[in-house]
Amino acid sequence: MCGITGYIGSKKTYEVLLDGLRRLEYRGYDSSGIAVQVGNSIKFLKRKGKIIELEKSPEIKNMVGTMGISHTRWATHGIPNEINAHPHLDCKKEIALVHNGIIENYHQLKEKLVREGHKFISATDTEVVAHLIEKYYKKNNFESAVVRAIEDIHGSFALAIIHKDSEKLIAARRGSPLIIGVGRNENFIGSDVPAILKFTKKVIYLNDDEIAILSPNNIIVKNLQGKIIRPKVNEIKWSLDQIEKGGFKHFMLKEIFEQPQAISNALSARIINNKIKLDLKINPKNLQRIFLVACGTAWHAGLVGKYIIEKLTRKSVEVDIASEFRYRNPIIGKGDLLIAVSQSGETADTLESIKLAKHQGAKTLGIVNAVGSSIAREVDEVIYLQAGPEIGVASTKAFTCQVICLLLFALYMGEKGGNKIEKIVIKDLQALPKLIKKILSKSKDIQKIAKKYVNAQSSLYLGRGINFPIALEGALKLKEISYIHAEGYPAGEMKHGPIALVDEKLPVIFIANDDHTLEKIISNMEEIKARQGKIITVTNVAAEKIKKVSDDIIGVPKTSEIISALINVVPLQILAYYVADLRGIDMDKPRNLAKSVTVE
Ligand code: M6R
């Protein structure tokens, strides 16, 4: 949610900042802006729309100088327009800052500042911070003015700030992600690693209530009491080509095709001699209940996880959407385990759920992709997805790797708890990358099916058991990138309401697996057919009955039931991708969405 970059050094400032912004565009793309210290003044430029609008402005070339900040916005307060775009400045245009987060008490602060004579021009919460710093600024006390302003603020922020007279660039964080890139004779600020990866692989993850004071040759990190902190400098393992499209039309397609490799990486060194190797302290014998908490696609992975963990460990699992969990006064405490699932490791509600569970005495485990992210640092233990960077706003390879990690966890806990692991599951797990490659090789056939449904207005996704969450995920993928209404349901629920939607125009996507629910699913298909619905079936069964009722069939390879979900989701990702592509949508940046939801 909003991307921030900052730079201090001798390169062309606007080029470094724009490069970082382009790589952070998945975080928000309704407007963007840049501010640079030039001589003893601040120059700034803002544009509505995607970053390209900023790039093509002729004035961008004037944004040279030795330090600057920039921002790509996902609007929270104030409509997307040039005035509300960041950077925001004080009355005298001497201070410029960019912000990610929400200043919760901005109304009160703004009223007071207005009474004191400050002139506001935007409808944002952010602008109060610029005026607060202005209020506290006395000659050469930039750093302490920033600290005093931060002390007045309630809410979450990642900030990058420049002053026309200061030779230092300041960054500060509370509750929103911010990293410092450590360079040679230059330093960087970014919301996320892709912003700085081209220039350095050395990063400092700022903690809450820390500020960093950057000059080209130095980085000083302090807490709000002024105590100097010696930060850990981490080495990033990602390479630059991992955050580029590599010949694919979109990141989403690249990431769908990366799944065999991503899954191999997630499994790598974690299965040895048919045994699961996870370096975890959690002991199933001391565990009462397991709570899985996540949002969006990660929540769907959690629903698949419930099915798998309960089956393999016989422990009861509750799955919650994080924004519901944290406000429902959950009964969780000592002896319980909360598992937080998150690609970005920054989702605000998931992060807050972890804090709540910890506060009530539960142990916490993160299933996270982004190394060093807030969630990874907040939990007691973490299993990393090892999926590599996911840039496309629609989550694909992170989903499959989240399920893989949950499966590894379930096998590990099952074994530790005295349950015997079925060797066939391990065998099928190891064969999974190959099976997914087979599906990917048929993507052009799925594209042909997509052509037939490109003008649909609404759609229904139905599955049972472990494939019910896959129906939810298929529907989410389609709606978020094609803007076609889509609903996922357990197939058995169909007659309790959704069947009323069925007519000759409604595509109904069934997941029909060769398991104990097959006959029931086939009956549901007959019922849709009897009402002239169009049926697309994802199936691993070559049954005449399925052929008879289906308008289109996407055949998938057979595997163990608990692994089938990982196979069935892939054609649904491809279907959604092609429908969106045929509708001319840039599904890497779907409207109103942002990759990482760092505000509530
Ligand atoms: O980074 P997280 O996994 O915590 O993100 C959770 C959701 O915001 C995310 O999965 C979202 O639903 C995606 N748009 C799904 O494609």
Side-chain angles (χ1 to χ4, degrees), residues 295-298 341-345 347 393-395 402 476-477 480 597:
C295 300
T297 285
V341 187
S342 176
Q343 188 288 127
S344 63
T347 302
V393 166
S395 189
Q402 283 160 352
L476 176 62
K477 283 292 88 79
E480 71 178 336
V597 183

Side-chain angles (χ1 to χ4, degrees), residues 71-264:
H71 188 268
T72 180
R73 182 170 186 245
W74 186 91
T76 58
H77 299 65
I79 57 163
N81 63 17
E82 237 168 64
I83 290 180
N84 291 332
H86 298 216
H88 288 283
L89 291 94
D90 64 315
C91 301
K92 298 197 282 287
K93 311 271 178 278
E94 294 182 347
I95 299 156
L97 59 86
V98 289
H99 167 225
N100 171 26
I102 291 182
I103 311 296
E104 287 165 3
N105 58 339
Y106 87 99
H107 271 300
Q108 299 94 298
L109 293 170
K110 188 170 174 175
E111 272 171 24
K112 192 158 179 258
L113 287 161
V114 168
R115 279 200 304 276
E116 289 167 3
H118 290 262
K119 299 263 177 300
F120 280 75
I121 56 167
S122 78
T124 65
D125 53 336
T126 303
E127 198 183 344
V128 291
V129 188
H131 292 282
L132 274 177
I133 300 173
E134 177 181 32
K135 170 178 164 172
Y136 294 126
Y137 186 80
K138 310 249 156 38
K139 218 169 175 0
N140 298 330
N141 76 339
F142 182 35
E143 184 188 322
S144 58
V146 169
V147 171
R148 287 203 60 188
I150 287 173
E151 283 168 349
D152 286 355
I153 295 171
H154 301 163
S156 60
F157 55 81
L159 292 163
I161 317 160
I162 53 175
H163 188 287
K164 79 171 183 57
D165 294 327
S166 172
E167 287 167 2
K168 313 267 167 100
L169 170 59
I170 295 188
R173 127 166 209 166
R174 181 187 296 154
S176 297
L178 201 60
I179 59 168
I180 309 297
V182 184
R184 222 184 251 175
N185 301 325
E186 58 183 358
N187 288 307
F188 307 82
I189 297 172
S191 294
D192 203 351
V193 171
I196 51 133
L197 196 60
K198 183 172 169 188
F199 307 105
T200 179
K201 289 195 169 193
K202 291 198 169 77
V203 303
I204 295 168
Y205 298 104
L206 272 197
N207 290 311
D208 282 349
D209 287 323
E210 283 180 357
I211 72 163
I213 302 113
L214 279 66
S215 45
N217 299 309
N218 201 11
I219 298 166
I220 297 171
V221 178
K222 293 183 180 175
N223 66 17
L224 295 186
Q225 289 69 48
K227 183 171 172 241
I228 295 187
I229 317 259
R230 288 197 59 198
K232 184 172 170 224
V233 179
N234 303 270
E235 187 80 25
I236 299 295
K237 302 253 163 56
W238 293 350
S239 63
L240 202 57
D241 56 319
Q242 282 183 289
I243 56 165
E244 282 170 354
K245 284 190 198 144
F248 283 88
K249 189 171 174 191
H250 296 101
F251 279 111
M252 181 181 176
L253 192 61
K254 179 183 179 227
E255 287 156 8
I256 290 173
F257 273 78
E258 276 174 352
Q259 288 180 109
Q261 188 58 52
I263 290 172
S264 298

Side-chain angles (χ1 to χ4, degrees), residues 152-442:
D152 286 355
I153 295 171
H154 301 163
S156 60
F157 55 81
L159 292 163
I161 317 160
I162 53 175
H163 188 287
K164 79 171 183 57
D165 294 327
S166 172
E167 287 167 2
K168 313 267 167 100
L169 170 59
I170 295 188
R173 127 166 209 166
R174 181 187 296 154
S176 297
L178 201 60
I179 59 168
I180 309 297
V182 184
R184 222 184 251 175
N185 301 325
E186 58 183 358
N187 288 307
F188 307 82
I189 297 172
S191 294
D192 203 351
V193 171
I196 51 133
L197 196 60
K198 183 172 169 188
F199 307 105
T200 179
K201 289 195 169 193
K202 291 198 169 77
V203 303
I204 295 168
Y205 298 104
L206 272 197
N207 290 311
D208 282 349
D209 287 323
E210 283 180 357
I211 72 163
I213 302 113
L214 279 66
S215 45
N217 299 309
N218 201 11
I219 298 166
I220 297 171
V221 178
K222 293 183 180 175
N223 66 17
L224 295 186
Q225 289 69 48
K227 183 171 172 241
I228 295 187
I229 317 259
R230 288 197 59 198
K232 184 172 170 224
V233 179
N234 303 270
E235 187 80 25
I236 299 295
K237 302 253 163 56
W238 293 350
S239 63
L240 202 57
D241 56 319
Q242 282 183 289
I243 56 165
E244 282 170 354
K245 284 190 198 144
F248 283 88
K249 189 171 174 191
H250 296 101
F251 279 111
M252 181 181 176
L253 192 61
K254 179 183 179 227
E255 287 156 8
I256 290 173
F257 273 78
E258 276 174 352
Q259 288 180 109
Q261 188 58 52
I263 290 172
S264 298
N265 295 347
L267 293 174
S268 159
R270 287 169 170 171
I271 304 179
I272 296 165
N273 296 333
N274 288 327
K275 292 229 176 293
I276 307 299
K277 298 276 171 228
L278 288 178
D279 197 15
L280 296 179
K281 292 189 200 82
I282 305 157
N283 183 347
K285 293 187 180 133
N286 305 331
L287 259 192
Q288 276 160 21
R289 289 167 314 157
I290 298 174
F291 293 78
L292 272 161
V293 176
C295 300
T297 285
W299 176 64
H300 298 155
L303 292 170
V304 178
K306 173 185 166 75
Y307 189 96
I308 296 171
I309 296 170
E310 288 191 341
K311 190 170 168 115
L312 297 179
T313 70
R314 301 313 295 152
K315 292 259 177 217
S316 148
V317 179
E318 279 188 38
V319 190
D320 269 274
I321 290 179
S323 55
E324 291 297 315
F325 177 83
R326 56 183 289 215
Y327 291 112
R328 75 168 164 86
N329 194 7
I331 305 165
I332 183 169
K334 214 161 173 273
D336 296 332
L337 172 70
L338 177 130
I339 306 179
V341 187
S342 176
Q343 188 288 127
S344 63
E346 298 295 348
T347 302
D349 286 312
T350 310
L351 183 59
E352 288 308 313
S353 302
I354 298 166
K355 292 181 185 162
L356 185 150
K358 277 173 86 174
H359 183 70
Q360 293 188 198
K363 289 266 172 260
T364 56
L365 168 72
I367 306 247
V368 177
N369 197 31
V371 176
S373 55
S374 305
I375 290 178
R377 286 183 291 154
E378 188 63 43
V379 287
D380 298 316
E381 302 195 78
V382 62
I383 303 176
Y384 281 115
L385 305 187
Q386 300 176 173
E390 189 183 70
I391 311 284
V393 166
S395 189
T396 52
K397 65 173 178 174
F399 174 80
T400 38
C401 291
Q402 283 160 352
V403 175
I404 290 283
C405 290
L406 287 163
L407 182 49
L408 288 171
F409 171 79
L411 289 165
Y412 172 84
M413 295 298 275
E415 200 182 25
K416 268 197 143 187
N419 300 328
K420 212 168 153 270
I421 295 186
E422 287 176 49
K423 289 226 173 74
I424 183 73
V425 174
I426 301 277
K427 212 169 142 231
D428 284 351
L429 196 49
Q430 287 170 321
L432 189 61
K434 254 197 198 149
L435 301 187
I436 292 185
K437 270 189 195 157
K438 271 195 188 161
I439 302 171
L440 295 174
S441 70
K442 289 193 197 146

